[in-house]
Amino acid sequence: MSQPAAHIRAFFDEPTNTVSYLVWDPATKRGAVIDPVLDWDNRSGTADVAFADRILAAADEEAVAIDWVLETHAHADHLTAAPYIKARTGAPIGIGEHIRQVQAIFRPMFQAEDLKPGGGDFDRLFADGERFALGSLEVEVIHTPGHTPACIAYRIGEDVFVGDTLFMHDYGTARADFPGGDARTLFRSMKRLLALPPDTRLWMCHDYKAPGRDSYAWQSTVAEQRAHNPHVKDGVTEEEFVAFRTARDATLAAPLLLLPAIQVNIRAGRFPPAESNGVRYLLVPVTTRKADTLA
Ligand SMILES: [Fe+2]
């Protein structure tokens, strides 16, 4: 890990407990935005870009040019502002190549016939182990399936953007019960990240304040995770984790923004095409536990 450290600024979106990042190469001032959040008022169906504008303003302040918009996965808890960042900067949108699998799962559920074939709504699909340049820095892609089949982490020297593959070391781990998710696979992906050198800095995509902690936090280390994470610290076996995670997930409600988030995020942040009246709609697939109660 001989390259100089990336510079990083974090942006916390409290309504969705999400952290977006601006990361850049200090030598060339070339940067990336990771997991940008779109402001979404679910009551009125109104999108806004005030949060994304804060990231762009920070890039201006730092005199950083944005070369990439990077997603760690198709999020289920917020809508992505990736298309807005792309429109403002020209930066291509990248995500893990297994997004195709996620699209295949949700395309029929949301009648998303407008999805382009082969993951073509995204500009770049990253494979495990792939490397690409961020200025003079090298970014390595680490496929970390489990929370979703397409999750990836981005490693830049000793900094790793882990998405939802880990939460803070005093909190735990993300659910693994979304379609295509798998607790055993998640455990193995976490172990892969935790095999990195102990001082490696891990940057979370979410924080919910662990019990006893009164402020948000989003940066941890491999050593801290291995010593303290109650779900995955050294000594917790794969079987123990799978049993715990499966039982816990069975108790969790769907995320508040699950339905809008998934149908927008599998389209790389595009909203569905407008209907004949010129209005775009998001769908709510209806399920019922007692079919005969529906007229
Ligand atoms: Fe997620």
Side-chain angles (χ1 to χ4, degrees):
M1 296 192 184
S2 55
Q3 64 183 7
H7 284 201
I8 296 165
R9 280 177 68 170
F11 302 83
F12 188 71
D13 180 58
E14 193 158 21
T16 65
N17 294 84
T18 302
V19 193
S20 302
Y21 294 98
L22 173 66
V23 51
W24 70 95
D25 169 25
T28 61
K29 297 276 192 177
R30 311 305 299 194
V33 177
I34 301 179
D35 291 330
V37 175
L38 182 75
D39 304 300
W40 175 250
D41 178 359
N42 205 47
R43 294 181 182 85
S44 64
T46 306
D48 201 357
V49 293
F51 183 81
D53 275 338
R54 279 178 49 206
I55 304 173
L56 291 172
D60 279 350
E61 249 172 63
E62 304 284 358
V64 167
I66 307 297
D67 286 347
W68 288 102
V69 190
L70 302 174
E71 299 282 6
T72 53
H73 62 298
H75 306 274
D77 43 41
H78 67 271
L79 283 63
T80 174
Y84 177 68
I85 305 283
K86 177 181 175 179
R88 289 285 308 275
T89 63
I93 303 171
I95 198 166
E97 63 176 348
H98 295 282
I99 188 65
R100 290 186 289 235
Q101 192 179 332
V102 177
Q103 289 176 320
I105 291 168
F106 289 108
R107 179 188 172 119
M109 188 183 300
F110 292 110
Q111 292 263 56
E113 303 301 327
D114 56 300
L115 276 178
K116 295 178 185 162
D121 292 277
F122 296 85
D123 301 303
R124 179 78 176 263
L125 300 180
F126 294 117
D128 184 46
E130 195 166 344
R131 291 158 193 268
F132 61 96
L134 184 64
S136 63
L137 302 179
E138 184 181 74
V139 185
E140 177 193 355
V141 174
I142 305 172
H143 183 211
T144 54
H147 171 62
T148 81
C151 288
I152 57 175
Y154 297 97
R155 184 182 73 81
I156 309 175
E158 294 180 35
D159 294 291
V160 184
F161 298 88
V162 301
D164 292 2
T165 297
L166 284 161
F167 286 162
M168 284 299 287
H169 57 269
D170 56 358
Y171 190 86
T173 55
R175 65 197 299 169
D177 61 335
F178 293 144
D182 182 72
R184 190 173 302 278
T185 309
L186 176 60
F187 185 84
R188 293 175 184 176
S189 291
M190 292 190 292
K191 285 293 181 186
R192 194 174 166 203
L193 293 179
L194 298 182
L196 290 166
D199 291 343
T200 305
R201 292 178 290 271
L202 306 174
W203 300 87
M204 313 295 127
C205 185
H206 293 294
D207 189 59
Y208 304 92
K209 287 182 185 166
R213 171 154 57 80
D214 60 6
S215 59
Y216 292 109
W218 42 78
Q219 190 255 306
S220 178
T221 66
V222 165
E224 287 169 325
Q225 293 282 350
R226 291 183 60 165
H228 303 298
N229 190 309
H231 302 177
V232 70
K233 65 186 173 191
D234 288 359
V236 176
T237 67
E238 183 170 308
E239 296 310 322
E240 286 169 340
F241 176 76
V242 170
F244 158 78
R245 192 68 264 173
T246 305
R248 170 70 64 88
D249 288 352
T251 71
L252 299 177
L256 181 65
L257 298 183
L258 173 71
L259 296 174
I262 287 294
Q263 55 196 299
V264 168
N265 294 344
I266 61 169
R267 292 177 164 98
R270 270 190 307 110
F271 282 78
E275 298 291 335
S276 55
N277 60 356
V279 179
R280 297 170 189 268
Y281 294 91
L282 292 166
L283 300 178
V284 179
V286 175
T287 51
T288 176
R289 296 201 168 83
K290 273 194 161 187
D292 58 357
T293 63
L294 284 186

